Structure formats: structure tokens, C-alpha cells
Amino acid sequence: MVERVAMISGANRGIGAAIAAHLAERGWRLSLGMRKPQDLTAPPGGPATLVSRHDAEDIASEAAWAGRTVERFGRIDAVIANAGMMIPKTVIEADDGDLDLLFQVNVRSPLRLVKAAWPFLTRSGQGRVVTLVSLSGKRVKSARSGLYATSKFAALAMTHAIRQAGWDLGVRTTAICPGFVATDMAIGLTERAPEDMTQASDIARLVGIVLDLPNTASIAEIPINSTLEEMV
Ligand SMILES: NC(=O)c1ccc[n+]([C@@H]2O[C@H](COP(=O)([O-])OP(=O)(O)OC[C@H]3O[C@@H](n4cnc5c(N)ncnc54)[C@H](OP(=O)(O)O)[C@@H]3O)[C@@H](O)[C@H]2O)c1
């Protein structure tokens, strides 16, 4: 059986690490992107896993990482654009530099990554793109999440735009839109107990399901919440 290859950004910790562990269990070959690959000494999937440098602020690094992936595995079946950041400022407090940084990491880098992998994603007629967006891509919950939400609304639109561009080529794209997930990001933002938040391992299970669904059962967005909100 052909072993499918997934590229996962931000795979060193948090949601990305959970996705990597889950996909390794499910038999995927992994190409993991991170800023400090030298720090990941025991990657999920063992020596078969490729661990590569990827820095979303270095605009050459997505193409370089995709190139190394193809060199090693000869194929790319899925891109999981997970790396992301939050700047907890209101849009009034934030300056142009804050906005540029959030768009570079949360929007432009995922798009560059998908574009670098595109010739390979389209080759099989069953490519998959999953983006880690947020419920902040669907609603603005507070003033301090407003700047982040601005970038995540763009990330959600970009995901739908990739979905439109890839549909006839067999590429199926899904935006994962969680509320608080118990990782460093959320734990630094709220007093809520980690056990009361969505777990990274549950997000990973959803990613595994999405990657396995056939082209005829594609899910465009998955909103996930650990609390009750009016719309989501
Ligand atoms: N946690 C939540 O509540 C939550 C909710 C909704 C959506 N999300 C989204 O889910 C994704 C994963 O978040 P998480 O919860 O796992 O956060 P996290 O624990 O803070 O991890 C963030 C990951 O992104 C990487 N990253 C940040 N800036 C980067 C850059 N310039 N270049 C390359 N990698 C970079 C980090 O790498 P380093 O280790 O090098 O910093 C880390 O691997 C993000 O897109 C986030 O916006 C999170």
C-alpha cells in the first residue's frame, strides 16, 4: 500500500505535535516543519520522519521545506498549515508591524506552503489541505482578540479560496476552527483550566478523519467549542 505523506507546520509543540503523533499512529509518513528542528530529538514516526526548518517569517522557507519533502518521499498528499501566532492587542493598540507579523505568520506563510506543495497535491487527484484557523476566524469575541481575528478571518477566506482553486483537481480543503485548545497559546490567554478546554489530541483526531474522507464527502469548515456560544 502507498504510504501517504503529510507536511505539518508548527509540529514541535501544541496542536501540531498532537497531529503529528496521531498521523504517525495512522501510518502516515511525516514531514515536520519547525523553527528549531535540532530540538526535536525523537520525532513521531521515528527515523522515517523528516524534520525540517520552517520559519513563517522567512519567505523562502516554505519552498525549501517542500523541496526537501519531495526529495525524501517523492510525493506530498496533505498539507496541515498549523503554525500560527496570537498578539493579544486591540486593533486600536496594534501598529502596522503587529498586523504585518500576524498576516505573515497566519495568512501568507500557509498560502506559500500550499503553493509550494501544489504540483504534488494535485498529482494524485486526492490532495488534502487542512488549515488551523480558529473560531476567531468566524466571530470577534473580545477587543483583545480583535487583531488576531482580523488575521484569522483572512485565513478562513484563504482556505475557502484554496478549496475553490483545487476542487476540480481533486484537492479537498478544510478549515479547523476551534475555540480555546489546551496549549501554551490558550493557557497564556485565559484563567480557564486546561481540562475545561478542547484537547489538542481531539483536534488531531478530527484532522485524521478529514484526511481519510473521500473526495465526495468533503467538509469545508469544522467549528469546535468547549463552551456554549450563540452562533458557534
Ligand atoms: N490554542 C488555541 O486555543 C487555538 C485556538 C484556535 C486556533 N488555534 C490555532 O492553532 C494553531 C496551533 O496553535 P497552538 O495552540 O498549538 O499554539 P502554540 O502551542 O502556541 O504553538 C504554536 C506553534 O506555531 C509555531 N510558530 C509560531 N510562529 C512561527 C513562525 N514564525 N514560524 C514557524 N512556526 C511558528 C510555534 O513554533 P515555536 O515553538 O518555534 O514558537 C508552535 O509550533 C495556530 O494556528 C493557532 O492560531 C489555536
Side-chain angles (χ1 to χ4, degrees), residues 9-16 34-36 54-57 81-85 105-106 132-135 148 152 176-186:
S9 67
N12 55 312
R13 62 187 173 101
I15 296 171
M34 59 199 68
R35 286 193 275 201
K36 294 181 180 168
H54 166 239
D55 186 335
E57 291 182 70
N82 164 78
M85 67 178 295
V105 175
N106 292 351
L132 261 293
V133 181
S134 173
L135 284 182
Y148 175 71
K152 290 294 188 177
I176 307 278
C177 300
F180 284 129
V181 182
T183 67
D184 297 341
M185 183 179 284

Side-chain angles (χ1 to χ4, degrees), residues 24-229:
E25 278 171 19
R26 293 174 74 88
W28 283 78
R29 285 275 182 255
L30 300 180
S31 175
L32 307 182
M34 59 199 68
R35 286 193 275 201
K36 294 181 180 168
Q38 67 278 11
D39 290 355
L40 191 69
T41 48
T49 294
L50 177 67
V51 183
S52 280
R53 178 180 172 273
H54 166 239
D55 186 335
E57 291 182 70
D58 171 359
I59 63 168
S61 72
E62 291 84 13
W65 172 27
R68 285 191 291 272
T69 304
V70 171
E71 203 176 302
R72 165 75 79 90
F73 299 108
R75 57 189 294 138
I76 301 170
D77 299 279
V79 168
I80 319 297
N82 164 78
M85 67 178 295
M86 156 83 174
I87 299 176
K89 289 184 180 175
T90 75
V91 288
I92 305 304
E93 292 162 350
D95 60 22
D96 272 1
D98 294 324
L99 196 59
D100 283 349
L101 179 57
L102 275 185
F103 269 73
Q104 188 65 274
V105 175
N106 292 351
V107 186
R108 293 194 193 110
S109 172
L111 182 55
R112 282 194 299 269
L113 181 57
V114 169
K115 287 173 79 165
W118 198 249
F120 301 93
L121 289 172
T122 55
R123 191 170 282 178
S124 66
Q126 295 186 43
R128 296 288 179 267
V129 174
V130 176
T131 57
L132 261 293
V133 181
S134 173
L135 284 182
S136 288
K138 299 182 66 64
R139 48 88 173 110
V140 182
K141 198 179 177 193
S142 64
R144 259 170 35 108
S145 66
L147 184 69
Y148 175 71
T150 301
S151 74
K152 290 294 188 177
F153 268 69
L156 183 60
M158 180 195 70
T159 307
H160 283 281
I162 295 167
R163 183 175 172 84
Q164 292 287 338
W167 188 269
D168 289 344
L169 300 166
V171 179
R172 297 293 180 263
T173 299
T174 303
I176 307 278
C177 300
F180 284 129
V181 182
T183 67
D184 297 341
M185 183 179 284
I187 290 165
L189 289 170
T190 170
E191 300 293 303
R192 190 171 308 170
E195 60 270 24
D196 292 335
M197 301 180 199
T198 301
Q199 300 302 303
S201 55
D202 292 324
I203 303 293
R205 286 164 56 203
L206 288 166
V207 172
I209 291 168
V210 159
L211 294 180
D212 278 350
L213 288 171
N215 282 9
T216 47
S218 178
I219 305 173
E221 292 180 18
I222 306 184
I224 304 145
N225 213 337
S226 55
T227 58
L228 182 63
E229 295 183 39

